[in-house]
């Protein structure tokens, strides 16, 4: 179970949430127990998957103010005050999103699973995974790019050397822009070693 939790990750959890927000309306709230909803809320808090939604309303308000001020710069102060006031009035509706998030997780996970998620991601190891996991993943991708570039270089070199023995003058060298085929996306492989000249 711990391995599954470690593999879940924040990105996967957010994907589950967004998927549920878009598609998951088949089960009504009254069909899910209060205990199940409470466990879902705890898991969501531990994962922090809804934290990113805190910026939605402020972002929308800023965009609206910018658009209105650009169209009517002479009333900038009134626009700013009015939009800010209306945004504050709408702020309590943030709770609706939390309720939907809890329902989404309750539909996706059992009570025991939600409790296990909360226990792991609420622990120091779980918190560290959420915090440093993306950094480790980026470093891993860099390492994979370097590894793939080396594999690509050595595969090209070894294959060309062997094919020279078999095909000789009939073997055509790869174009320069194809020398990196087989490397990881974004990897720049070192140039393969020059193949020996065909024997006469």
């Amino acid at each position: 179970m711990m391995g599954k939790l470690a593999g879940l990750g924040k990105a996967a959890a957010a994907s589950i949430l967004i998927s549920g927000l878009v598609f998951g309306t088949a089960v009504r709230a009254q069909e899910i127990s209060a205990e199940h909803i409470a466990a879902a809320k705890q898991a969501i808090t531990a994962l922090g998957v809804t934290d990113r939604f805190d910026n939605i309303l402020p972002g929308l308000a800023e965009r609206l103010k910018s658009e209105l001020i650009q169209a009517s710069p002479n009333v900038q102060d009134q626009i700013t005050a009015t939009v800010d006031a209306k945004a504050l009035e709408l702020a309590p509706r943030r709770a609706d999103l939390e309720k939907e998030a809890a329902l989404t997780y309750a539909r996706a996970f059992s009570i025991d699973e939600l409790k296990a998620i909360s226990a792991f991601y609420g622990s120091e190891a779980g918190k560290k995974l959420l915090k440093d996991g993306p950094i480790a993943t980026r470093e891993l991708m860099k390492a994979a790019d370097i590894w793939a570039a080396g594999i690509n270089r050595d595969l090209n070199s070894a294959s060309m050397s062997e094919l020279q023995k078999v095909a000789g003058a009939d073997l055509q060298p790869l174009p320069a822009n194809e020398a990196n085929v087989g490397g990881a996306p974004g990897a720049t492989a070192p140039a393969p070693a020059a193949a020996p000249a065909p024997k006469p």
Side-chain angles (χ1 to χ4, degrees), residues 15-164:
S15 296
I16 291 169
L17 173 59
I18 292 174
S19 175
L21 289 174
V22 176
F23 300 108
T25 56
V27 181
R28 293 174 297 173
Q30 58 265 37
E31 296 175 350
I32 300 176
S33 70
E35 181 186 5
H36 205 157
I37 293 295
K41 288 180 177 178
Q42 288 181 347
I44 288 167
T45 299
L47 287 165
V49 292
T50 61
D51 292 350
R52 68 189 67 189
F53 301 146
D54 290 343
N55 295 325
I56 292 178
L57 179 55
L60 292 173
E62 289 301 316
R63 187 173 70 183
L64 178 58
K65 285 189 288 186
S66 177
E67 292 172 351
L68 290 173
I69 290 170
Q70 185 175 6
S72 307
N74 293 335
V75 288
Q76 176 175 342
D77 291 344
Q78 295 92 322
I79 289 171
T80 298
T82 299
V83 174
D84 285 346
K86 294 304 176 183
L88 285 173
E89 291 177 8
L90 292 171
R93 289 173 57 179
R94 175 68 173 78
D96 296 337
L97 185 56
E98 291 296 324
K99 291 177 183 177
E100 189 60 34
L103 286 171
T104 297
Y105 268 72
R107 286 190 287 261
F109 300 100
S110 69
I111 293 176
D112 288 343
E113 288 169 339
L114 289 165
K115 288 180 178 179
I117 290 170
S118 297
F120 175 70
Y121 284 103
S123 69
E124 291 306 313
K127 292 175 182 177
K128 187 172 180 62
L129 178 60
L130 291 175
K131 177 177 178 289
D132 296 337
I135 298 172
T137 298
R138 285 196 297 271
E139 293 302 314
L140 176 58
M141 294 308 298
K142 291 179 183 177
D145 282 347
I146 294 170
W147 176 86
I151 289 292
N152 181 57
R153 175 200 62 211
D154 294 343
L155 176 62
N156 287 346
S157 178
S159 298
M160 291 296 290
S161 296
E162 190 65 24
L163 285 168
Q164 286 287 353

